[in-house]
Amino acid sequence: SFKLGQIIGRGAMGEVYEARHVTTGEEAAVKLLLDHVLAQPDHVERFYREAKIVSSLNAANVVKVLAVADRDSSIPYIAMERLHGQDLSDWLRARRRLTLPIVLTMIRQVGHGLEAARTSGIVHRDLKPRNLFLAKFGNAEVWKILDFGVSKLIGEDHTLTRDARVGTPSYMAPEQITGGAVTHRTDIFALGVIAYRSLTGRPAFSGDSESEILYK
């Protein structure tokens, strides 16, 4: 249903293309899995699981899902709203730090998105600057949470990550590192670390190796 354009994002598992709906002309961002990932059933299942989770979150501060491929599709895809703007990682790279009013607005809006996830029993588990996007809608700006690919449903006995340690070291909560119970507070911790980085211009935890960062 979508005509693809240029690649606007790329990760280890897949690529995101700018796109338009072939009938309505509506803009979209379409996420596709890489060829070698398609050959791994667990990764394909996790992809559809992400689509289901994000589709369930009808929140202004979470990226909106427009369409998802059928389970028996030869090309799994997630079509999401096309966002124009910049993610927080690029913001900080260009400016190093943000003003207090901007950070307060970000915390408040991202907090609304995390609250929607909490009430749905979802923990993001990988909140970081790359996954927070300041989207422009005319004269308005809205912070959106992206990428629920390694999220966890509260009450699940296991996950498709095989309960491996997941997350980004500089933003992981202690319970992620020690193998403790992951809850919505895990995401709140990450948001606090993001706020620190945004206000001070430096990471809360740093080191020469991943082990040193996790220890701190």
Short mmCIF file of all heavy atoms in Angstrom, two decimals, residues 91-124:
data_model
loop_
_atom_site.label_atom_id
_atom_site.label_comp_id
_atom_site.label_asym_id
_atom_site.label_seq_id
_atom_site.Cartn_x
_atom_site.Cartn_y
_atom_site.Cartn_z
N TRP A 91 20.31 16.71 18.24
CA TRP A 91 20.20 18.00 18.93
C TRP A 91 21.43 18.23 19.81
O TRP A 91 22.05 19.30 19.79
CB TRP A 91 18.94 18.02 19.79
CG TRP A 91 17.77 18.70 19.19
CD1 TRP A 91 17.04 18.28 18.12
CD2 TRP A 91 17.17 19.92 19.61
NE1 TRP A 91 16.02 19.16 17.86
CE2 TRP A 91 16.07 20.17 18.76
CE3 TRP A 91 17.45 20.83 20.64
CZ2 TRP A 91 15.25 21.29 18.89
CZ3 TRP A 91 16.63 21.94 20.78
CH2 TRP A 91 15.56 22.17 19.92
N LEU A 92 21.75 17.22 20.61
CA LEU A 92 22.86 17.38 21.57
C LEU A 92 24.21 17.43 20.85
O LEU A 92 25.14 18.09 21.32
CB LEU A 92 22.83 16.22 22.57
CG LEU A 92 21.63 16.24 23.53
CD1 LEU A 92 21.61 14.97 24.37
CD2 LEU A 92 21.68 17.47 24.43
N ARG A 93 24.31 16.74 19.73
CA ARG A 93 25.55 16.80 18.97
C ARG A 93 25.78 18.20 18.42
O ARG A 93 26.92 18.68 18.35
CB ARG A 93 25.51 15.78 17.83
CG ARG A 93 26.83 15.63 17.08
CD ARG A 93 26.80 14.52 16.06
NE ARG A 93 26.69 13.21 16.71
CZ ARG A 93 25.60 12.46 16.70
NH1 ARG A 93 24.51 12.87 16.09
NH2 ARG A 93 25.61 11.29 17.30
N ALA A 94 24.70 18.87 18.04
CA ALA A 94 24.81 20.21 17.46
C ALA A 94 24.93 21.30 18.52
O ALA A 94 25.61 22.30 18.31
CB ALA A 94 23.59 20.49 16.57
N ARG A 95 24.28 21.10 19.69
CA ARG A 95 24.21 22.17 20.69
C ARG A 95 24.91 21.84 21.99
O ARG A 95 25.08 22.70 22.84
CB ARG A 95 22.74 22.49 20.98
CG ARG A 95 21.96 22.99 19.76
CD ARG A 95 20.47 22.96 20.03
NE ARG A 95 19.68 23.47 18.94
CZ ARG A 95 19.37 22.77 17.85
NH1 ARG A 95 19.82 21.51 17.74
NH2 ARG A 95 18.65 23.29 16.88
N ARG A 96 25.25 20.59 22.21
CA ARG A 96 25.90 20.06 23.42
C ARG A 96 24.96 20.01 24.62
O ARG A 96 24.90 19.03 25.33
CB ARG A 96 27.16 20.87 23.79
CG ARG A 96 27.96 20.21 24.92
CD ARG A 96 29.36 20.79 25.03
NE ARG A 96 30.06 20.20 26.16
CZ ARG A 96 30.14 20.75 27.35
NH1 ARG A 96 29.59 21.93 27.58
NH2 ARG A 96 30.79 20.15 28.34
N ARG A 97 24.21 21.07 24.88
CA ARG A 97 23.26 21.06 25.99
C ARG A 97 22.01 21.85 25.61
O ARG A 97 22.03 22.65 24.67
CB ARG A 97 23.88 21.63 27.26
CG ARG A 97 24.23 23.10 27.18
CD ARG A 97 24.80 23.61 28.50
NE ARG A 97 26.11 23.06 28.77
CZ ARG A 97 26.81 23.32 29.87
NH1 ARG A 97 26.31 24.10 30.80
NH2 ARG A 97 28.00 22.79 30.03
N LEU A 98 20.93 21.63 26.36
CA LEU A 98 19.67 22.31 26.10
C LEU A 98 19.32 23.22 27.27
O LEU A 98 19.79 23.02 28.39
CB LEU A 98 18.55 21.27 25.90
CG LEU A 98 18.77 20.22 24.82
CD1 LEU A 98 17.56 19.29 24.73
CD2 LEU A 98 19.02 20.86 23.46
N THR A 99 18.47 24.19 27.01
CA THR A 99 18.05 25.10 28.07
C THR A 99 17.07 24.38 29.00
O THR A 99 16.43 23.40 28.63
CB THR A 99 17.38 26.35 27.50
OG1 THR A 99 16.17 25.96 26.83
CG2 THR A 99 18.30 27.07 26.51
N LEU A 100 16.94 24.91 30.21
CA LEU A 100 16.05 24.30 31.19
C LEU A 100 14.60 24.23 30.69
O LEU A 100 13.95 23.18 30.84
CB LEU A 100 16.13 25.05 32.52
CG LEU A 100 15.26 24.50 33.66
CD1 LEU A 100 15.62 23.05 33.96
CD2 LEU A 100 15.42 25.36 34.91
N PRO A 101 14.04 25.29 30.11
CA PRO A 101 12.65 25.19 29.63
C PRO A 101 12.45 24.07 28.60
O PRO A 101 11.43 23.38 28.62
CB PRO A 101 12.38 26.57 29.01
CG PRO A 101 13.31 27.49 29.75
CD PRO A 101 14.55 26.68 29.97
N ILE A 102 13.42 23.90 27.68
CA ILE A 102 13.30 22.84 26.68
C ILE A 102 13.35 21.47 27.35
O ILE A 102 12.57 20.58 27.02
CB ILE A 102 14.43 22.97 25.62
CG1 ILE A 102 14.21 24.22 24.77
CG2 ILE A 102 14.47 21.73 24.73
CD1 ILE A 102 15.32 24.48 23.77
N VAL A 103 14.25 21.31 28.32
CA VAL A 103 14.37 20.02 29.01
C VAL A 103 13.11 19.72 29.81
O VAL A 103 12.62 18.58 29.82
CB VAL A 103 15.62 20.00 29.92
CG1 VAL A 103 15.66 18.71 30.74
CG2 VAL A 103 16.89 20.13 29.09
N LEU A 104 12.54 20.72 30.46
CA LEU A 104 11.31 20.51 31.23
C LEU A 104 10.16 20.09 30.32
O LEU A 104 9.38 19.19 30.65
CB LEU A 104 10.93 21.78 31.99
CG LEU A 104 11.82 22.12 33.19
CD1 LEU A 104 11.43 23.49 33.77
CD2 LEU A 104 11.72 21.06 34.26
N THR A 105 10.05 20.72 29.16
CA THR A 105 9.02 20.34 28.20
C THR A 105 9.23 18.91 27.73
O THR A 105 8.28 18.13 27.62
CB THR A 105 9.02 21.30 27.00
OG1 THR A 105 8.72 22.62 27.45
CG2 THR A 105 7.99 20.88 25.96
N MET A 106 10.48 18.56 27.43
CA MET A 106 10.79 17.20 26.98
C MET A 106 10.41 16.18 28.04
O MET A 106 9.75 15.17 27.75
CB MET A 106 12.29 17.08 26.67
CG MET A 106 12.73 15.66 26.30
SD MET A 106 14.51 15.53 26.07
CE MET A 106 15.09 15.75 27.77
N ILE A 107 10.81 16.43 29.31
CA ILE A 107 10.51 15.49 30.38
C ILE A 107 9.00 15.32 30.55
O ILE A 107 8.50 14.20 30.71
CB ILE A 107 11.14 15.96 31.70
CG1 ILE A 107 12.67 15.87 31.63
CG2 ILE A 107 10.63 15.13 32.88
CD1 ILE A 107 13.36 16.50 32.82
N ARG A 108 8.28 16.43 30.50
CA ARG A 108 6.83 16.37 30.69
C ARG A 108 6.16 15.56 29.57
O ARG A 108 5.33 14.69 29.82
CB ARG A 108 6.26 17.79 30.72
CG ARG A 108 4.77 17.86 31.05
CD ARG A 108 4.29 19.30 31.15
NE ARG A 108 4.98 20.03 32.21
CZ ARG A 108 5.85 21.00 32.00
NH1 ARG A 108 6.15 21.37 30.79
NH2 ARG A 108 6.43 21.62 33.02
N GLN A 109 6.56 15.83 28.32
CA GLN A 109 5.92 15.15 27.19
C GLN A 109 6.34 13.68 27.10
O GLN A 109 5.49 12.80 26.86
CB GLN A 109 6.22 15.89 25.90
CG GLN A 109 5.59 17.27 25.84
CD GLN A 109 5.70 17.93 24.48
OE1 GLN A 109 6.12 17.31 23.50
NE2 GLN A 109 5.32 19.19 24.40
N VAL A 110 7.61 13.41 27.26
CA VAL A 110 8.06 12.02 27.25
C VAL A 110 7.44 11.27 28.42
O VAL A 110 7.07 10.09 28.31
CB VAL A 110 9.61 11.94 27.29
CG1 VAL A 110 10.07 10.48 27.45
CG2 VAL A 110 10.21 12.53 26.03
N GLY A 111 7.29 11.97 29.55
CA GLY A 111 6.63 11.36 30.71
C GLY A 111 5.21 10.92 30.40
O GLY A 111 4.76 9.87 30.84
N HIS A 112 4.48 11.72 29.61
CA HIS A 112 3.13 11.34 29.20
C HIS A 112 3.17 10.04 28.39
O HIS A 112 2.33 9.15 28.55
CB HIS A 112 2.48 12.45 28.38
CG HIS A 112 2.06 13.65 29.18
ND1 HIS A 112 1.42 13.55 30.40
CD2 HIS A 112 2.19 14.98 28.93
CE1 HIS A 112 1.17 14.76 30.86
NE2 HIS A 112 1.63 15.65 30.00
N GLY A 113 4.17 9.94 27.49
CA GLY A 113 4.30 8.73 26.69
C GLY A 113 4.64 7.52 27.53
O GLY A 113 4.10 6.42 27.32
N LEU A 114 5.52 7.70 28.52
CA LEU A 114 5.89 6.60 29.42
C LEU A 114 4.71 6.19 30.31
O LEU A 114 4.57 5.01 30.64
CB LEU A 114 7.09 7.00 30.27
CG LEU A 114 8.41 7.18 29.53
CD1 LEU A 114 9.52 7.57 30.52
CD2 LEU A 114 8.80 5.92 28.78
N GLU A 115 3.89 7.16 30.70
CA GLU A 115 2.72 6.84 31.50
C GLU A 115 1.73 6.00 30.70
O GLU A 115 1.13 5.05 31.22
CB GLU A 115 2.06 8.11 32.01
CG GLU A 115 0.75 7.91 32.78
CD GLU A 115 0.93 7.11 34.06
OE1 GLU A 115 2.07 6.84 34.48
OE2 GLU A 115 -0.12 6.75 34.65
N ALA A 116 1.58 6.33 29.42
CA ALA A 116 0.72 5.52 28.55
C ALA A 116 1.26 4.10 28.44
O ALA A 116 0.50 3.13 28.47
CB ALA A 116 0.62 6.16 27.17
N ALA A 117 2.58 3.97 28.34
CA ALA A 117 3.20 2.65 28.29
C ALA A 117 2.99 1.91 29.61
O ALA A 117 2.66 0.71 29.62
CB ALA A 117 4.68 2.77 27.97
N ARG A 118 3.15 2.61 30.72
CA ARG A 118 3.00 1.97 32.04
C ARG A 118 1.59 1.42 32.23
O ARG A 118 1.41 0.29 32.68
CB ARG A 118 3.30 2.98 33.16
CG ARG A 118 3.27 2.37 34.57
CD ARG A 118 3.24 3.44 35.65
NE ARG A 118 1.99 4.18 35.66
CZ ARG A 118 0.86 3.75 36.21
NH1 ARG A 118 0.81 2.56 36.79
NH2 ARG A 118 -0.23 4.49 36.17
N THR A 119 0.59 2.23 31.88
CA THR A 119 -0.79 1.78 32.06
C THR A 119 -1.13 0.60 31.14
O THR A 119 -2.08 -0.14 31.42
CB THR A 119 -1.78 2.93 31.81
OG1 THR A 119 -1.58 3.46 30.49
CG2 THR A 119 -1.59 4.04 32.82
N SER A 120 -0.34 0.42 30.08
CA SER A 120 -0.54 -0.72 29.18
C SER A 120 0.38 -1.89 29.55
O SER A 120 0.41 -2.89 28.84
CB SER A 120 -0.28 -0.30 27.73
OG SER A 120 -1.20 0.69 27.30
N GLY A 121 1.15 -1.73 30.65
CA GLY A 121 2.02 -2.80 31.09
C GLY A 121 3.26 -2.97 30.24
O GLY A 121 3.80 -4.08 30.11
N ILE A 122 3.76 -1.87 29.66
CA ILE A 122 4.90 -1.93 28.75
C ILE A 122 6.08 -1.15 29.32
O ILE A 122 5.93 -0.03 29.80
CB ILE A 122 4.52 -1.34 27.37
CG1 ILE A 122 3.40 -2.16 26.73
CG2 ILE A 122 5.73 -1.27 26.45
CD1 ILE A 122 2.74 -1.47 25.56
N VAL A 123 7.26 -1.75 29.27
CA VAL A 123 8.51 -1.09 29.63
C VAL A 123 9.34 -0.96 28.36
O VAL A 123 9.59 -1.96 27.67
CB VAL A 123 9.30 -1.88 30.69
CG1 VAL A 123 10.58 -1.12 31.08
CG2 VAL A 123 8.45 -2.13 31.92
N HIS A 124 9.78 0.24 28.03
CA HIS A 124 10.54 0.47 26.81
C HIS A 124 11.89 -0.24 26.84
O HIS A 124 12.28 -0.90 25.89
CB HIS A 124 10.74 1.98 26.59
CG HIS A 124 11.32 2.34 25.26
ND1 HIS A 124 12.65 2.15 24.95
CD2 HIS A 124 10.74 2.88 24.15
CE1 HIS A 124 12.87 2.56 23.71
NE2 HIS A 124 11.74 3.01 23.20
#
